[in-house]
Amino acid sequence: MRRLTAFLTGLALLWAGGLVLFIAALPKPAEQAPDKVEGVAVYTGGGGTRISTAMAIFADGAGERLLISGVHPDTSAARLSDFWVGPKDQFDCCVDLGREALSTEGNAGELNAWATSHRFNNIILVTSDYHMPRALAVTRARMPNATIIPYAVGSGYLNDQGRPASLQAGLKLAGEYTKFLLARVKALIPAGGR
């Protein structure tokens, strides 16, 4: 019983230490999109901030096409156009809606299929700062030969000192860290074992 208690205590301390490092390493919100990318993709969530950010950098000239992955089946293109800040014809021709994804794994699958169909190898990925580590881990595991460039959107979960802004934010970050660890473990399993 003592060994089990010591093991569980050590595991909890290891997890807590990893959480501190995870939070410290979260990306700062991006300020400028890189040049010379072929596509922009955004994983939905974050109350629309991710989508509006992706649309803004795309309308400003980043990429040839924009993929919004994980769009709810009941959300119309007209509703999403409310976030659009560029010319209407650019939205109509070059914004693609992915409606199949229900998870980050599903987002990565949609992005892979979209990038393959358009022969894109350099893609900006837009998602929230706290979600970016897991999104990158899952997407790069699915698309190892593509260049995935992170563009983080501030979530408000961190204060100016880089610490959780509230207890609720801390719990959200702890949950995301656990999901990130599981995604890293899953990425190590050969495709035949999934």
Side-chain angles (χ1 to χ4, degrees):
M1 189 66 178
R2 285 182 186 174
R3 286 183 181 175
L4 179 59
T5 302
F7 172 75
L8 292 176
T9 301
L11 199 60
L13 290 172
L14 189 62
W15 178 89
L19 175 60
V20 170
L21 294 175
F22 173 79
I23 292 172
L26 287 176
K28 303 289 185 234
E31 296 180 0
Q32 185 174 355
D35 296 330
K36 299 180 181 177
V37 295
E38 296 163 325
V40 179
V42 56
Y43 293 172
T44 56
T49 306
R50 298 177 190 178
I51 295 173
S52 59
T53 299
M55 286 184 170
I57 65 171
F58 178 64
D60 201 35
E64 300 167 23
R65 299 191 72 82
L66 168 65
L67 170 67
I68 304 174
S69 175
V71 177
H72 191 278
D74 295 337
T75 302
S76 67
R79 171 71 181 100
L80 287 174
S81 71
D82 290 344
F83 294 102
W84 182 245
V85 294
K88 184 181 183 306
D89 60 338
Q90 186 184 14
F91 181 88
D92 293 340
C93 85
C94 306
V95 176
D96 302 309
L97 308 183
R99 297 183 181 274
E100 300 298 319
L102 301 174
S103 64
T104 303
E105 188 75 36
N107 291 136
E110 273 190 343
L111 176 52
N112 186 34
W114 178 79
T116 300
S117 69
H118 293 290
R119 298 183 181 179
F120 290 166
N121 291 308
N122 298 289
I123 299 159
I124 296 173
L125 176 58
V126 180
T127 192
S128 297
D129 50 8
Y130 73 94
H131 182 236
M132 187 61 77
R134 179 163 58 106
L136 286 175
V138 171
T139 304
R140 287 175 173 162
R142 182 66 69 95
M143 304 173 65
N145 297 319
T147 301
I148 308 297
I149 304 159
Y151 192 98
V153 178
S155 62
Y157 290 148
L158 299 175
N159 62 23
D160 292 339
Q161 291 76 41
R163 298 187 184 118
S166 65
L167 176 60
Q168 184 179 1
L171 293 173
K172 180 73 174 179
L173 293 169
E176 182 60 30
Y177 171 61
T178 302
K179 291 178 184 178
F180 168 72
L181 290 178
L182 293 173
R184 292 300 300 266
V185 169
K186 189 173 182 181
L188 296 174
I189 300 172
R194 292 183 184 171

